[in-house]
Amino acid sequence: MATPTTLTPRPSKRPAGSREPDGARHQRSSRHPRRRRIRENATAYAFLAAGLICFALFSWYPIVRGLLLGFQEVSFAQPATWVGWDNYQRLFDDPLFATAWRNTGYFTLLALVFGFAAPFVTAVVLNEFRHARSYLRMTVYLPVMLPPIVTMLLWRWFYDPGPGLFNNVLGVFHLPAQQWLESENLAMVSLVLVSTWANMGTTTLIYLAALGSIPGELYEAAELDGASIRQRLLHVTIPQMRFILMITLLLQVIGTMQVFVEPFVLTGGGPDDATVTILLLLYRYAFVYNDFGMASAMSTVLFLVLGAFAAVYLRLSRGKG
């Protein structure tokens, strides 16, 4: 009896024009999106790592380093020595520290009286114009674009006790000339006027944008009820802008407490330390007295105070959101 022969099947070659099986094609297509997703995630993490490194080097490290310097005696000529709370003790015992805080608070209060009201009034007036709006907005914002040192030198000429612009204007009305930057009573007010003129453009544009978002039907209803301009301002404009006004108030407090350029360039802290502010005193500790430990301790105190205002700002922002 003959034994049947077992034939081994030969691998068949797929013709060139035939289609690939669905299972193989699905397996191959599922690999490419996974690789693409891994490559895209790697690229995103690389950009994120670059940003984190920049923040770590230029933001977080200086903050941590400054906190540590507040507990050390540092001259950068000899190795730093740990002194604990001695810098803070000497800082609070320095009478000029209390004077600087008092002057800074006085400057902030005056800036709120002038610098907070002036942009709002300017925005309300500009909002009533129907022609040349862009030109007027550019004119209001122009001082912001000037370099701070140019603004200070311009206003130094305005305040010059001799040929200055303001004293010449007073002379036209036969009024006595004033020592604007040399008088203890006028020096701080003069600095506030400079700061208000130089920085009010940004706040004015913010108020103009907020005014444009108020529904016109509210003003029309108020006019039909016979409301005057003052009543429309008090009962329509201000209530609708209450959140924006609060936010700009907090931001202005944070900004004015860091005033430095105006007293540094115009008065140098005088006369008789009447315009010494926190940042100006910090500058003196670091670069005049070469006491970087005291300067770091003062910067930490300022950081905590401004952090409290920043926390209030974030709380209000989240509440609105």
Side-chain angles (χ1 to χ4, degrees):
M1 183 175 178
T3 304
T5 304
T6 304
L7 299 177
T8 303
R10 298 177 63 185
S12 60
K13 295 183 179 179
R14 182 166 53 87
S18 63
R19 298 180 59 187
E20 186 180 5
D22 294 339
R25 186 171 63 253
H26 176 72
Q27 183 178 5
R28 181 178 299 177
S29 62
S30 62
R31 294 176 181 175
H32 293 293
R34 188 180 301 113
R35 293 178 180 176
R36 187 182 303 110
R37 187 165 55 252
I38 293 175
R39 185 168 56 252
E40 292 176 353
N41 290 340
T43 303
Y45 283 126
F47 280 106
L48 179 61
L52 291 176
I53 292 173
C54 290
F55 273 106
L57 290 178
F58 300 106
S59 294
W60 300 333
Y61 174 75
I63 291 175
V64 175
R65 180 62 174 165
L67 293 175
L68 293 178
L69 288 178
F71 297 95
Q72 298 175 344
E73 183 178 353
V74 184
S75 63
F76 295 113
Q78 298 177 353
T81 57
W82 190 267
V83 295
W85 296 94
D86 290 350
N87 289 328
Y88 291 92
Q89 183 66 37
R90 292 191 296 120
L91 179 65
F92 288 105
D93 290 339
D94 187 357
L96 196 56
F97 179 69
T99 302
W101 274 112
R102 184 169 58 252
N103 293 337
T104 303
Y106 184 44
F107 181 92
T108 302
L109 180 62
L110 290 177
L112 293 180
V113 173
F114 295 101
F116 185 71
F120 180 73
V121 174
T122 304
V124 171
V125 173
L126 292 181
N127 193 57
E128 297 297 325
F129 284 88
R130 295 295 178 264
H131 303 284
R133 279 190 173 184
S134 300
Y135 172 76
L136 293 174
R137 292 180 181 182
M138 182 194 68
T139 304
V140 172
Y141 192 74
L142 182 61
V144 181
M145 296 186 290
L146 294 177
I149 189 62
V150 174
T151 302
M152 298 304 109
L153 295 178
L154 177 65
W155 279 81
R156 175 180 286 180
W157 173 71
F158 289 166
Y159 288 140
D160 194 295
L165 175 64
F166 292 160
N167 280 339
N168 285 333
V169 173
L170 293 178
V172 173
F173 295 97
H174 304 286
L175 296 174
Q178 301 294 327
Q179 300 291 327
W180 300 98
L181 300 177
E182 289 76 17
S183 172
E184 294 186 22
N185 297 325
L186 295 177
M188 189 65 75
V189 178
S190 301
L191 297 183
V192 171
L193 292 179
V194 177
S195 178
T196 301
W197 182 84
N199 301 306
M200 66 176 291
T202 303
T203 309
T204 301
L205 294 184
I206 294 175
Y207 287 154
L208 283 172
L211 288 170
S213 64
I214 298 177
E217 295 81 2
L218 298 178
Y219 290 107
E220 295 176 0
E223 291 179 359
L224 292 177
D225 291 339
S228 62
I229 297 179
R230 176 178 173 274
Q231 290 174 334
R232 293 199 300 268
L233 180 65
L234 294 178
H235 300 288
V236 178
T237 304
I238 293 179
Q240 291 293 319
M241 295 180 59
R242 182 172 57 250
F243 175 73
I244 297 296
L245 291 172
M246 181 61 66
I247 292 300
T248 53
L249 174 65
L250 288 173
L251 291 178
Q252 186 165 357
V253 170
I254 295 174
T256 52
M257 291 186 68
Q258 302 177 70
V259 59
F260 172 75
V261 178
E262 289 84 353
F264 178 75
V265 176
L266 295 178
T267 63
D272 294 332
D273 295 329
T275 57
V276 174
T277 59
I278 287 296
L279 283 186
L280 184 58
L281 182 60
L282 191 153
Y283 171 84
R284 288 182 179 179
Y285 277 133
F287 301 106
V288 177
Y289 310 140
N290 292 325
D291 194 341
F292 293 94
M294 287 274 287
S296 299
M298 179 177 289
S299 65
T300 302
V301 174
L302 181 62
F303 173 78
L304 294 176
V305 174
L306 296 181
F309 286 102
V312 175
Y313 166 76
L314 292 177
R315 181 64 180 272
L316 290 176
S317 301
R318 292 177 181 176
K320 183 64 177 181

